[in-house]
Amino acid sequence: MPDRKITRQAFLKSIAALGLTAALQPLSAQISNGYPSRAIRLVVPFAPGGNTDLIARILGQALAEELGQPVVVENISGANGSIGTSRVAAAAADGYTLLFGTAGTQAINQSLYKNLSEKNLDDFEYLGLVTSIPNMLVINEARTPVGSVAELLALAQSSQAGLNYGSPGAGSTIHLSAEMFGTAAGVKLLHVPYRGSAPALADLMGGQLDFIFENITPALPFVTSGKLKALAVASEERVPLLPDVPTMKESGFDNFVTGTWNGVLAPKGTPQAIVDRLSTAILQCAAKPDFKAKVQEMGGQPLEMGPEEFKRFTREEYQRWNAVVAAAGVEKL
């Protein structure tokens, strides 16, 4: 048999060749070869229990199965989502800390907070937009005895003091939706901010508020049970779960489409190979029938929007909400 012994010189040449091959690979490819090798943190910049938190947990479970590593949802709330969002922006750009962003954190806060600006839109890599959830105009008929948006408008016009409305805080899509309504209708409204949707809905049911433009997810159980009445949904088309409830557009308010949306982002500078890996996995999860069904049960619309389209959409949303904030004269925080 031929002698297969490898000399020390040949062995060193082989090692050198392997090292050269690795060195010639793009850095992003080297980093992502073993990605992910540990748990991924998905930051929800709001308290547990809201629709953003619930959808993040549904997506996180599907994403863990897709990537083969745990996806741990972490809630970091405060300042309309700005605190958790800024922490993700400052995290290591290695694909192990992600943000579950919303219309508020990615498109509204930049117009509301003095320390933020449009430039903050570039603090992230955009991975995928997965849901859109509309707002809904709801009332307590015992307090506000109207049957349509037109009748609510007539009531507002006849009220010297003006109607009041609740929201989970200044700058939320719920707050700004009501401001849009007041501006478009030319009526006086009084904003009553709360620490979340639950106490605002409780006061609406208790007869302390005239109306709320609530996100459809927390309001839906109260509407279907008859405790509250939905006058309109602020979506492009009627919501399948509430087929008899007209849209704001059908109610005479053109282009009145408001709500929140959810997408996954990573810190700026995350290697492209990791961005591609995550984006592919996120969109695969968003396309699964089980994920879509759960989102629809919450009154939402499942989406599968990739990085470039998601980034372009976010900038358009920023411009739209910035105009609403300016028209309403909302003071910067």
Side-chain angles (χ1 to χ4, degrees), residues 27-115:
L27 179 59
S28 61
Q30 294 180 48
I31 293 172
S32 65
N33 277 342
Y35 176 85
S37 60
R38 54 186 170 87
I40 295 170
R41 189 169 61 130
L42 180 60
V43 172
V44 173
F46 299 99
N51 60 275
T52 297
D53 177 66
L54 294 174
I55 294 172
R57 293 179 188 279
I58 295 169
L59 180 68
Q61 183 177 356
L63 197 55
E65 296 172 1
E66 197 70 37
L67 295 173
Q69 290 292 343
V71 175
V72 181
V73 173
E74 180 178 351
N75 299 88
I76 304 177
S77 61
N80 203 33
S82 291
I83 294 176
T85 301
S86 62
R87 289 192 188 177
V88 174
D94 57 7
Y96 289 100
T97 302
L98 307 176
L99 173 69
F100 201 56
T102 69
T105 62
Q106 307 311 124
I108 295 176
N109 287 351
Q110 291 75 11
S111 300
L112 283 175
Y113 289 87
K114 295 175 182 177
N115 63 329

Side-chain angles (χ1 to χ4, degrees), residues 53-281:
D53 177 66
L54 294 174
I55 294 172
R57 293 179 188 279
I58 295 169
L59 180 68
Q61 183 177 356
L63 197 55
E65 296 172 1
E66 197 70 37
L67 295 173
Q69 290 292 343
V71 175
V72 181
V73 173
E74 180 178 351
N75 299 88
I76 304 177
S77 61
N80 203 33
S82 291
I83 294 176
T85 301
S86 62
R87 289 192 188 177
V88 174
D94 57 7
Y96 289 100
T97 302
L98 307 176
L99 173 69
F100 201 56
T102 69
T105 62
Q106 307 311 124
I108 295 176
N109 287 351
Q110 291 75 11
S111 300
L112 283 175
Y113 289 87
K114 295 175 182 177
N115 63 329
L116 296 178
S117 71
E118 183 179 2
K119 291 186 289 186
N120 292 98
L121 299 179
D122 294 324
D123 287 343
F124 299 94
E125 304 291 346
Y126 294 75
L127 305 179
L129 184 68
V130 296
T131 62
S132 174
I133 302 179
N135 289 334
M136 180 166 60
L137 175 53
V138 290
I139 60 165
N140 177 349
E141 287 184 283
R143 160 87 181 209
T144 312
V146 299
S148 66
V149 176
E151 291 180 10
L152 180 67
L153 177 56
L155 180 64
Q157 291 170 335
S158 66
S159 172
Q160 292 184 347
L163 301 185
N164 66 24
Y165 69 92
S167 86
S172 62
T173 64
I174 296 165
H175 165 221
L176 295 179
S177 293
E179 290 298 326
M180 280 178 65
F181 176 64
T183 300
V187 295
K188 182 179 179 181
L189 301 173
L190 175 64
H191 178 213
V192 184
Y194 290 81
R195 288 176 173 265
S197 289
L201 284 168
D203 268 8
L204 182 67
M205 287 186 289
Q208 305 302 311
L209 297 170
D210 293 314
F211 71 92
I212 290 181
F213 268 97
E214 182 55 86
N215 193 262
I216 195 171
T217 303
L220 188 61
F222 301 108
V223 171
T224 55
S225 67
K227 294 179 180 178
L228 296 175
K229 180 178 179 62
L231 297 183
V233 288
S235 50
E236 287 282 358
E237 299 177 350
R238 294 194 182 196
V239 175
L241 293 176
L242 299 168
D244 296 328
V245 178
T247 65
M248 286 295 292
K249 294 169 70 174
E250 289 176 308
S251 303
F253 289 81
D254 292 338
N255 302 317
F256 200 111
V257 178
T258 71
T260 191
W261 40 260
N262 300 116
V264 186
L265 305 99
K268 187 70 174 179
T270 300
Q272 188 60 47
I274 291 179
V275 167
D276 293 342
R277 175 80 173 97
L278 284 169
S279 178
T280 298

